[in-house]
Amino acid sequence: MCIFCKIANKEIPSKIVYEDPYVIAFLDINPRSKGHTLVVPKKHYKTLDEMPDEELCHLIKGVKETIKILKKLNFDGYNIVNNNGKAAGQEIDHVHIHIIPRYEGDEAVKFGEVKDIDLDEVYKIIKS
Ligand code: 5GP
Ligand code: ZN
Protein backbone atom coordinates (compact mmCIF):
# COMPACT_ATOMS: atom_id res chain seq x y z
CA MET A 1 0.00 0.00 0.00
CA CYS A 2 1.38 3.46 -0.87
CA ILE A 3 2.29 6.05 1.75
CA PHE A 4 -0.71 8.31 1.03
CA CYS A 5 -3.09 5.32 1.19
CA LYS A 6 -1.57 4.60 4.61
CA ILE A 7 -2.10 8.23 5.67
CA ALA A 8 -5.71 8.07 4.40
CA ASN A 9 -6.21 4.85 6.43
CA LYS A 10 -4.62 6.50 9.49
CA GLU A 11 -1.92 3.82 9.54
CA ILE A 12 0.62 6.66 9.35
CA PRO A 13 -0.05 9.79 11.41
CA SER A 14 -0.44 13.17 9.74
CA LYS A 15 -1.61 16.64 10.68
CA ILE A 16 -5.09 16.48 9.18
CA VAL A 17 -6.52 19.82 8.06
CA TYR A 18 -9.75 18.57 6.45
CA GLU A 19 -11.43 15.23 5.86
CA ASP A 20 -14.65 13.99 4.28
CA PRO A 21 -15.70 10.56 2.89
CA TYR A 22 -13.74 11.13 -0.34
CA VAL A 23 -10.63 13.14 0.51
CA ILE A 24 -8.13 13.81 3.24
CA ALA A 25 -6.01 16.96 3.49
CA PHE A 26 -2.90 17.13 5.65
CA LEU A 27 0.14 19.36 6.16
CA ASP A 28 3.06 18.59 3.84
CA ILE A 29 5.96 17.25 5.88
CA ASN A 30 8.38 19.46 3.84
CA PRO A 31 6.46 22.76 3.71
CA ARG A 32 7.32 25.25 0.94
CA SER A 33 5.30 27.89 2.80
CA LYS A 34 3.36 28.27 6.05
CA GLY A 35 0.30 26.04 5.69
CA HIS A 36 1.48 23.99 2.69
CA THR A 37 -1.15 21.26 2.52
CA LEU A 38 -1.75 18.18 0.37
CA VAL A 39 -5.28 17.19 -0.64
CA VAL A 40 -5.53 13.51 -1.53
CA PRO A 41 -8.38 11.29 -2.76
CA LYS A 42 -8.94 8.41 -0.35
CA LYS A 43 -9.01 6.01 -3.31
CA HIS A 44 -5.69 5.32 -4.99
CA TYR A 45 -5.16 6.84 -8.44
CA LYS A 46 -1.74 7.53 -9.87
CA THR A 47 -2.48 10.60 -12.00
CA LEU A 48 -5.26 13.13 -12.31
CA ASP A 49 -6.42 11.98 -15.77
CA GLU A 50 -7.04 8.46 -14.39
CA MET A 51 -9.71 9.75 -12.03
CA PRO A 52 -13.41 9.43 -12.83
CA ASP A 53 -15.18 12.79 -13.17
CA GLU A 54 -17.15 12.32 -9.95
CA GLU A 55 -14.00 11.65 -7.95
CA LEU A 56 -12.42 14.75 -9.48
CA CYS A 57 -15.39 16.84 -8.38
CA HIS A 58 -15.00 15.54 -4.83
CA LEU A 59 -11.28 16.28 -4.95
CA ILE A 60 -11.62 19.89 -6.08
CA LYS A 61 -14.40 20.45 -3.57
CA GLY A 62 -12.04 19.12 -0.89
CA VAL A 63 -9.44 21.63 -2.09
CA LYS A 64 -11.94 24.45 -1.67
CA GLU A 65 -12.99 23.34 1.81
CA THR A 66 -9.33 23.06 2.83
CA ILE A 67 -8.57 26.57 1.58
CA LYS A 68 -11.46 27.89 3.69
CA ILE A 69 -9.82 26.37 6.80
CA LEU A 70 -6.33 27.59 5.87
CA LYS A 71 -7.64 31.15 5.66
CA LYS A 72 -6.98 31.35 9.41
CA LEU A 73 -3.32 31.75 8.42
CA ASN A 74 -4.09 35.09 6.75
CA PHE A 75 -2.26 34.31 3.53
CA ASP A 76 -2.28 36.83 0.68
CA GLY A 77 -2.84 34.28 -2.10
CA TYR A 78 -2.24 30.62 -2.88
CA ASN A 79 -0.92 28.33 -5.60
CA ILE A 80 -2.55 25.05 -6.54
CA VAL A 81 0.12 22.65 -7.81
CA ASN A 82 -0.44 19.13 -9.11
CA ASN A 83 2.49 17.07 -10.40
CA ASN A 84 1.73 14.09 -12.65
CA GLY A 85 4.48 11.71 -13.71
CA LYS A 86 8.16 11.57 -12.82
CA ALA A 87 9.13 14.15 -15.47
CA ALA A 88 6.74 16.60 -13.80
CA GLY A 89 8.26 16.03 -10.37
CA GLN A 90 5.71 13.58 -8.97
CA GLU A 91 7.46 11.75 -6.13
CA ILE A 92 4.47 10.00 -4.61
CA ASP A 93 2.44 7.95 -7.10
CA HIS A 94 -0.90 8.77 -5.51
CA VAL A 95 -2.73 11.84 -6.85
CA HIS A 96 -2.33 14.88 -4.63
CA ILE A 97 -3.05 18.57 -4.96
CA HIS A 98 -0.63 20.94 -3.26
CA ILE A 99 -2.18 24.05 -1.72
CA ILE A 100 0.68 26.47 -1.16
CA PRO A 101 -0.41 29.57 0.74
CA ARG A 102 1.47 32.66 -0.44
CA TYR A 103 2.55 35.70 1.53
CA GLU A 104 3.51 39.03 -0.05
CA GLY A 105 7.18 38.96 -1.04
CA ASP A 106 7.77 35.23 -0.54
CA GLU A 107 9.33 33.18 -3.32
CA ALA A 108 7.72 29.84 -2.55
CA VAL A 109 6.73 28.97 -6.13
CA LYS A 110 8.18 30.24 -9.40
CA PHE A 111 7.37 29.36 -13.00
CA GLY A 112 10.35 28.40 -15.17
CA GLU A 113 11.80 30.60 -17.89
CA VAL A 114 9.82 31.29 -21.06
CA LYS A 115 10.97 28.92 -23.84
CA ASP A 116 11.28 29.62 -27.55
CA ILE A 117 8.67 27.10 -28.72
CA ASP A 118 6.87 27.19 -32.06
CA LEU A 119 3.20 27.49 -31.05
CA ASP A 120 1.96 26.79 -34.61
CA GLU A 121 3.79 23.46 -34.62
CA VAL A 122 2.49 22.49 -31.19
CA TYR A 123 -1.06 23.46 -32.11
CA LYS A 124 -0.89 21.45 -35.34
CA ILE A 125 0.03 18.31 -33.37
CA ILE A 126 -2.68 18.85 -30.78
CA LYS A 127 -5.35 19.43 -33.40
CA SER A 128 -4.34 16.59 -35.79
P1 5GP B 1 5.18 15.51 -5.28
O1 5GP B 1 6.60 15.90 -5.58
O2 5GP B 1 4.94 14.04 -5.48
O3 5GP B 1 4.18 16.36 -6.00
O4 5GP B 1 4.96 15.85 -3.75
C1 5GP B 1 4.97 14.91 -2.74
C2 5GP B 1 4.91 15.67 -1.44
O5 5GP B 1 4.60 14.74 -0.40
C3 5GP B 1 6.23 16.34 -1.04
O6 5GP B 1 6.02 17.74 -0.94
C4 5GP B 1 6.59 15.70 0.28
O7 5GP B 1 7.13 16.62 1.21
C5 5GP B 1 5.26 15.14 0.77
N1 5GP B 1 5.38 13.95 1.60
C6 5GP B 1 6.09 12.83 1.30
N2 5GP B 1 5.96 11.92 2.28
C7 5GP B 1 5.15 12.47 3.21
C8 5GP B 1 4.64 12.00 4.46
O8 5GP B 1 4.91 10.88 4.92
N3 5GP B 1 3.82 12.84 5.16
C9 5GP B 1 3.51 14.09 4.69
N4 5GP B 1 2.71 14.84 5.47
N5 5GP B 1 3.96 14.56 3.51
C10 5GP B 1 4.77 13.76 2.78
ZN1 ZN C 1 -2.17 5.25 -2.64
Side-chain angles (χ1 to χ4, degrees):
M1 195 186 281
C2 93
I3 193 158
F4 285 177
C5 282
K6 285 182 182 163
I7 286 176
N9 285 342
K10 318 274 170 63
E11 287 172 39
I12 292 179
S14 67
K15 291 192 162 47
I16 298 170
V17 177
Y18 171 78
E19 184 175 11
D20 67 28
Y22 310 100
V23 308
I24 184 163
F26 50 91
L27 295 181
D28 193 305
I29 206 165
N30 300 307
R32 273 61 157 205
S33 78
K34 192 168 80 181
H36 181 176
T37 298
L38 301 173
V39 188
V40 168
K42 287 188 170 174
K43 269 174 118 177
H44 183 97
Y45 299 98
K46 188 178 175 199
T47 57
L48 201 76
D49 55 287
E50 284 178 7
M51 294 181 66
D53 291 353
E54 255 187 43
E55 288 278 341
L56 274 171
C57 290
H58 292 310
L59 180 61
I60 201 69
K61 189 171 171 290
V63 168
K64 185 180 169 186
E65 293 302 320
T66 304
I67 290 166
K68 282 194 215 165
I69 294 164
L70 291 174
K71 278 188 174 170
K72 282 187 178 168
L73 294 171
N74 289 319
F75 53 71
D76 301 306
Y78 54 87
N79 292 106
I80 302 295
V81 177
N82 167 236
N83 301 323
N84 295 275
K86 210 169 171 220
Q90 184 177 16
E91 283 172 12
I92 309 288
D93 283 344
H94 181 134
V95 169
H96 49 282
I97 308 281
H98 296 257
I99 302 171
I100 306 177
R102 300 299 301 270
Y103 304 89
E104 288 299 345
D106 77 28
E107 298 206 334
V109 178
K110 270 186 176 174
F111 276 123
E113 279 172 24
V114 176
K115 305 279 191 310
D116 186 16
I117 288 168
D118 184 342
L119 293 188
D120 290 333
E121 189 193 327
V122 173
Y123 198 58
K124 211 167 114 187
I125 296 168
I126 295 168
K127 289 300 196 178
S128 65

